[in-house]
Amino acid sequence: MFGQNVLTLEDVMSGRKRSVYLGGAAPFYQKPEKNPNPVTKIAPFVPQGPGPGRDILRNFHTKDKYNSVLYKSLKPLLNFMKFVGIFPITDDELVFQVTIGSIIYSVCIFFIILGYVGYIQWDKLEMVRSAEGKFEEAVIDYLFTLYLIPIITSPIAWSESKKLARVLTNLMAFERIYYKMTKKRFAQFLGNKPFVITIALPVFACVTMVVTHVTMAHFKILQVIPYCYINVVTYLIGGIWYMLCDLLANIALTVAEDFKQILGNASPANKIAEFRSLWMLLSRIIRDTGNAFGFTLTFLCLYLFLIITLTIYGLMSQIQAGLGVKDVGLAVTGFFAGLMLLLISDEAHFASNCVKVQFQKKLLLVELNWMSDDTQQEINMFLRATEMNPTDMSLGGFFEVNRNLFKSLIATMVTYLVVLLQFQISIPEDPDSENSTKNP
């Protein structure tokens, strides 16, 4: 009865436009005798360029983008990222796409900053030299060079902008499907968090770089600007990842609570089939979210890992000689980099857990004795779907983003720190400097 294939919006990316149905709920939607106002199909997904499909999409979304809770939650951060040239994505009636104008704007911003970085490298920063030794000075020089490396994050993000646009479009379509099924809209579960994050991230990014330059280098405002921009880019990528994971987690909790109410009543089998199809679309979205950040977030995690390792080494190497002013910059940089890596891993773990475990709990605790055979079969099919469809966020198949990622990076970091400290101990001291200290 419900054996039709479950197709999501991305499955119609080919030139031949096909209609997309909710697999389990298709019989309910297609039979007028069961539904006097049938929703026969979801509009074809046409992510790029004008065409006849655009009018269908506008009619499908009924031009109510300002009533979309998910759109309002992501809009501040997405607009700011577009402004700084990270993700060249625009929306038209809740259909997100990459446009030529946005790409040209982002490329112009990138080359301006790239030219600025070239000037910085040519007119090298005059580092504050201390008496700790050449090895520590080299570490600080490496840090200021590493701070400029994330400039390549923007082109990486451009290459994945189409994937993110599909995820956002499917997320808005998910909200429409949820509304048609339940006649309810999502609550404002994020509150003012999107605006707070949009304002706080650039402020923290700029403050971190300013403190680092004040304490570790001769402060020059013109030389700090590109460092601030590049640091803002890294913070914003972590911020949009956090917001998407938090949004998906809250969506899953809301849908799971509605599904619990459905199970508490003598609901027909087609209601459970609708929620099963809705869950399969949600699980597809959460997997596509990981794929949309495959290269971008992989590079960001490796960059954060390297920054944390070097900053912790710089702090530990100065403990015996005594901490100084420049160690304040190291501490601030290491703290915020570690916090970002923790939030990236923890929030992805939380979202995956909400999508899978919360629904499995509802299915495993339901009493099946008083239900019909069709309802029991749908529940078993739903439970089987949660077991067979993964909900982990995998970055393009490289690795999964969860708490185990943070734990493994910390373990690797400790290993590298031990090697670096042993290398420092093995370096012989300069006899001239030692004699000068003994005979002033």
Side-chain angles (χ1 to χ4, degrees):
M1 178 179 180
F2 301 103
Q4 299 182 8
N5 295 329
V6 179
L7 300 177
T8 56
L9 295 179
E10 291 89 356
D11 297 330
V12 290
M13 290 295 295
S14 60
R16 183 168 59 99
K17 298 183 178 63
R18 295 177 295 175
S19 300
V20 184
Y21 296 89
L22 285 175
F28 171 72
Y29 286 132
Q30 296 174 22
K31 295 183 179 180
E33 63 272 13
K34 291 187 176 182
N35 184 7
N37 298 307
V39 182
T40 57
K41 47 179 92 169
I42 301 173
F45 180 41
V46 186
Q48 296 184 13
R54 308 294 299 176
D55 297 332
I56 301 176
L57 283 168
R58 291 191 181 95
N59 294 332
F60 172 69
H61 290 296
T62 63
K63 299 183 180 181
D64 61 347
K65 60 186 292 185
Y66 298 106
N67 294 325
S68 172
V69 174
L70 305 185
Y71 178 80
K72 291 179 180 178
S73 300
L74 296 173
K75 181 181 177 181
L77 197 56
L78 289 175
N79 286 342
F80 190 79
M81 295 180 72
K82 180 183 175 182
F83 172 74
V84 299
I86 305 176
F87 286 113
I89 298 175
T90 58
D91 69 279
D92 181 16
E93 302 297 339
L94 298 182
V95 177
F96 294 83
Q97 56 186 332
V98 179
T99 59
I100 298 298
S102 299
I103 293 177
I104 293 176
Y105 172 80
S106 300
V107 170
C108 292
I109 296 294
F110 172 76
F111 278 107
I112 291 174
I113 299 299
L114 189 62
Y116 215 150
V117 170
Y119 166 75
I120 294 281
Q121 290 299 98
W122 177 72
D123 187 21
K124 195 71 174 177
L125 278 175
E126 185 179 352
M127 307 300 301
V128 175
R129 300 302 182 180
S130 58
E132 282 84 26
K134 295 182 178 180
F135 196 63
E136 289 77 16
E137 294 172 4
V139 170
I140 296 177
D141 288 335
Y142 291 150
L143 272 176
F144 275 90
T145 302
L146 285 174
Y147 291 151
L148 298 175
I149 289 180
I151 187 65
I152 67 175
T153 307
S154 295
I156 297 175
W158 301 342
S159 66
E160 298 184 318
S161 295
K162 288 185 179 180
K163 298 178 183 178
L164 182 59
R166 294 174 196 164
V167 171
L168 295 174
T169 302
N170 287 347
L171 199 59
M172 304 306 153
F174 180 89
E175 184 179 20
R176 294 292 301 162
I177 297 171
Y178 172 81
Y179 174 73
K180 290 184 178 295
M181 283 179 51
T182 62
K183 304 304 179 183
K184 297 190 302 182
R185 295 190 181 275
F186 288 116
Q188 297 283 352
F189 29 67
L190 295 185
N192 295 324
K193 185 185 293 187
F195 296 98
V196 173
I197 290 178
T198 305
I199 297 174
L201 287 180
V203 172
F204 284 139
C206 295
V207 168
T208 301
M209 280 293 109
V210 170
V211 170
T212 301
H213 279 74
V214 168
T215 57
M216 298 174 61
H218 292 303
F219 180 78
K220 297 180 181 179
I221 186 63
L222 294 179
Q223 293 176 329
V224 179
I225 292 176
Y227 283 93
C228 291
Y229 172 84
I230 295 172
N231 208 34
V232 167
V233 169
T234 59
Y235 276 54
L236 287 177
I237 292 175
I240 189 63
W241 174 265
Y242 175 86
M243 284 295 301
L244 283 172
C245 292
D246 194 20
L247 203 62
L248 290 170
N250 283 278
I251 290 172
L253 292 175
T254 302
V255 177
E257 190 61 30
D258 293 335
F259 183 61
K260 180 181 178 180
Q261 297 178 2
I262 291 295
L263 292 177
N265 303 324
S267 301
N270 62 343
K271 279 290 184 181
I272 300 176
E274 290 176 28
F275 274 92
R276 174 167 57 87
S277 300
L278 196 65
W279 180 88
M280 294 184 70
L281 179 57
L282 182 60
S283 66
R284 180 63 181 272
I285 291 176
I286 198 172
R287 293 195 303 271
D288 289 345
T289 301
N291 293 328
F293 287 85
F295 295 102
T296 306
L297 204 66
T298 298
F299 174 81
L300 180 60
C301 290
L302 294 177
Y303 167 75
L304 293 175
F305 168 78
L306 187 57
I307 289 294
I308 296 170
T309 303
L310 288 179
T311 52
I312 293 179
Y313 166 74
L315 290 172
M316 294 181 65
S317 63
Q318 301 301 316
I319 291 179
Q320 186 176 1
L323 299 176
V325 177
K326 71 178 183 179
D327 298 310
V328 175
L330 290 174
V332 171
T333 302
F335 173 77
F336 281 105
L339 181 62
M340 185 186 302
L341 189 60
L342 174 62
L343 292 177
I344 288 173
S345 304
D346 184 72
E347 198 64 24
H349 181 90
F350 176 64
S352 300
N353 183 75
C354 289
V355 172
K356 186 170 186 177
V357 177
Q358 293 299 324
F359 282 90
Q360 286 181 336
K361 286 182 179 179
K362 304 296 187 295
L363 292 167
L364 292 173
L365 294 177
V366 68
E367 181 61 42
L368 300 176
N369 294 332
W370 55 275
M371 292 185 175
S372 64
D373 293 339
D374 291 340
T375 304
Q376 293 184 26
Q377 182 182 1
E378 285 297 332
I379 291 177
N380 291 329
M381 292 175 61
F382 199 159
L383 186 59
R384 224 172 12 244
T386 59
E387 295 173 352
M388 297 179 62
N389 290 271
T391 58
D392 298 324
M393 288 189 172
S394 174
L395 297 181
F398 292 106
F399 54 84
E400 295 179 357
V401 186
N402 49 35
R403 292 173 182 171
N404 290 329
L405 171 65
F406 184 77
K407 180 182 67 175
S408 62
L409 289 178
I410 292 297
T412 308
M413 191 184 306
V414 171
T415 304
Y416 279 104
L417 286 173
V418 171
V419 174
L420 286 172
L421 291 175
Q422 288 178 344
F423 181 65
Q424 180 195 9
I425 294 172
S426 64
I427 296 178
E429 296 183 0
D430 189 357
D432 296 334
S433 62
E434 184 178 358
N435 292 333
S436 62
T437 56
K438 289 182 179 180
N439 301 313

